[in-house]
Amino acid sequence: MTSATPVSVAADAPARPSPKTPAATPPAPVGRRSARRRELGACGVLMTPFFVLLVTVFVIPVATAVYLSFFSDDQPGLGFGPERTVFAGIRNYTAVLADPTFLAGLGVVALYCLVYIPLMVIGALVLALLLDSGVVRLRGTAQLALFLPHAVPGIIAALIWLYLYTPGISPVIDLLGRADITVDFLGVHTVLPSIVNIALWSNLGYNMIVFYAALQAVPREVIEASVVDGAGPVRTALQVKAPLVRSSIVMVAMFTLIFALQLFTEPMLLSQSTPMINSRFSPSMYIYDAAFTRNNYGLAAAASVILLLCTIALSYGVTRWTNRTATAEEGVR
């Protein structure tokens, strides 16, 4: 008698596919997460001094100036009552923009920028190209001699040139007088070039060092290739080296523009020796006169905000123009 072997239906039946579940992302290793936190902590530590300095010397003063520009001091009772601070709205801004002396100061600064910025950028670039070409010997001595004027404080530099510009005590004017050459460095047509000369003397060497450092980073293979192609020294400097330091040229032009718009020290000291420079010769001098001579802090704050907006607008315009020019050149290539 044979016994029937039970057959397992479940064993013979095909296995049903189980629904697929999304694979779980393996957690990041603990060491990687801790390394990431250390990197972020290091970045925070390194950036904290910058943000503290930015808030302290820029954000807080700008916010204070904007706040003060909407207020003015008022004396009720026909000027016999106690002085009080009242909300003035945009009255200070309209007063500044309607003041012909402020508008004249903007015109002076615009003319100063048109003369000073090209001379500064082109002069510093030419000196840097001469040093990089090897034409000038004793490069270290030449760099030190050109950079030393920048180490002289601006007030001291202005005083030195004031001595050289003042008739009766200037050895330069006396020497020119012996040659029957009469020059009035503080005249109506020469006072602005005299101010440009002081600024050039003080800052030309610094910008030259910036350009020279950028030229040192240019690959020597590129220069050697241009020489092999038959380019002379002038063509190599203008068509090879100068385009490769374009970013440095833009940076120097930008900072020179910002520096020029804040024209103050040189005309302030020269005003002691010439009537051609009044107390509101430039926008910065206008702000100083409004705040510390007329004690009108609201007017001074409004003028400061207007000058800041002009600086930001011009800087943005220079940046956009250089970016468009670079993009157009790349498209042509």
Side-chain angles (χ1 to χ4, degrees), residues 32-70:
R32 186 179 300 176
R33 289 200 302 267
S34 61
R36 180 64 176 172
R37 284 196 296 267
R38 286 196 298 268
E39 290 179 2
L40 293 176
C43 292
V45 171
L46 294 175
M47 294 297 293
T48 296
F50 166 76
F51 284 111
V52 170
L53 190 63
L54 177 67
V55 172
T56 304
V57 304
F58 182 76
V59 176
I60 294 178
V62 168
T64 304
V66 172
Y67 174 79
L68 291 176
S69 65
F70 292 105

Side-chain angles (χ1 to χ4, degrees), residues 155-239:
I155 295 178
I156 304 301
L159 288 174
I160 294 173
W161 285 100
L162 178 62
Y163 165 73
L164 296 176
Y165 288 157
T166 304
I169 62 174
S170 171
V172 176
I173 295 179
D174 182 61
L175 184 62
L176 293 175
R178 294 179 182 179
D180 294 332
I181 301 176
T182 303
V183 179
D184 184 9
F185 292 107
L186 301 177
V188 61
H189 298 297
T190 55
V191 64
L192 191 62
S194 298
I195 296 174
V196 171
N197 177 64
I198 299 175
L200 283 173
W201 182 82
S202 300
N203 301 305
L204 189 65
Y206 175 82
N207 293 320
M208 180 270 300
I209 295 295
V210 173
F211 287 143
Y212 182 72
L215 289 171
Q216 291 299 299
V218 174
R220 297 295 103 178
E221 296 82 4
V222 177
I223 300 175
E224 293 173 359
S226 66
V227 174
V228 172
D229 290 340
V234 177
R235 185 179 176 185
T236 300
L238 297 180
Q239 298 185 4

Side-chain angles (χ1 to χ4, degrees), residues 3-333:
S3 59
T5 304
V7 180
S8 175
V9 179
D12 295 340
R16 295 181 180 179
S18 60
K20 295 182 179 180
T21 57
T25 304
V30 178
R32 186 179 300 176
R33 289 200 302 267
S34 61
R36 180 64 176 172
R37 284 196 296 267
R38 286 196 298 268
E39 290 179 2
L40 293 176
C43 292
V45 171
L46 294 175
M47 294 297 293
T48 296
F50 166 76
F51 284 111
V52 170
L53 190 63
L54 177 67
V55 172
T56 304
V57 304
F58 182 76
V59 176
I60 294 178
V62 168
T64 304
V66 172
Y67 174 79
L68 291 176
S69 65
F70 292 105
F71 293 88
S72 63
D73 295 330
D74 187 22
Q75 287 184 334
L78 299 178
F80 297 101
E83 188 178 83
R84 62 180 182 179
T85 302
V86 298
F87 181 76
I90 62 171
R91 187 175 64 188
N92 290 324
Y93 290 96
T94 56
V96 171
L97 295 176
D99 193 336
T101 58
F102 181 80
L103 299 179
L106 288 178
V108 168
V109 168
L111 182 59
Y112 173 78
C113 291
L114 290 176
V115 177
Y116 171 63
I117 295 177
L119 289 177
M120 172 60 70
V121 176
I122 295 175
L125 183 60
V126 169
L127 290 175
L129 289 171
L130 288 175
L131 290 176
D132 186 68
S133 65
V135 175
V136 179
R137 298 182 179 180
L138 302 174
R139 297 183 187 178
T141 304
Q143 291 179 41
L144 180 62
L146 291 170
F147 183 77
L148 274 179
H150 183 72
V152 179
I155 295 178
I156 304 301
L159 288 174
I160 294 173
W161 285 100
L162 178 62
Y163 165 73
L164 296 176
Y165 288 157
T166 304
I169 62 174
S170 171
V172 176
I173 295 179
D174 182 61
L175 184 62
L176 293 175
R178 294 179 182 179
D180 294 332
I181 301 176
T182 303
V183 179
D184 184 9
F185 292 107
L186 301 177
V188 61
H189 298 297
T190 55
V191 64
L192 191 62
S194 298
I195 296 174
V196 171
N197 177 64
I198 299 175
L200 283 173
W201 182 82
S202 300
N203 301 305
L204 189 65
Y206 175 82
N207 293 320
M208 180 270 300
I209 295 295
V210 173
F211 287 143
Y212 182 72
L215 289 171
Q216 291 299 299
V218 174
R220 297 295 103 178
E221 296 82 4
V222 177
I223 300 175
E224 293 173 359
S226 66
V227 174
V228 172
D229 290 340
V234 177
R235 185 179 176 185
T236 300
L238 297 180
Q239 298 185 4
V240 178
K241 293 182 179 180
L244 291 176
V245 296
R246 179 191 184 92
S247 59
S248 298
I249 296 175
V250 174
M251 182 193 69
V252 169
M254 183 77 66
F255 284 115
T256 303
L257 172 64
I258 295 173
F259 173 79
L261 292 174
Q262 302 174 23
L263 180 65
F264 178 78
T265 303
E266 295 84 0
M268 189 68 179
L269 290 176
L270 293 181
S271 64
Q272 309 299 320
S273 298
T274 175
M276 298 296 105
I277 302 178
N278 54 36
S279 60
R280 307 177 192 178
F281 182 76
S282 67
S284 295
M285 293 180 65
Y286 180 93
I287 295 168
Y288 180 87
D289 177 74
F292 301 106
T293 302
R294 293 178 282 170
N295 295 323
N296 193 336
Y297 298 103
L299 191 70
S304 301
V305 173
I306 292 173
L307 181 60
L308 175 63
L309 294 177
C310 292
T311 304
I312 294 174
L314 290 175
S315 302
Y316 178 76
V318 170
T319 304
R320 288 295 302 271
W321 178 75
T322 53
N323 290 338
R324 287 184 178 180
T325 305
T327 304
E329 291 180 358
E330 291 178 359
V332 171
R333 293 176 185 176

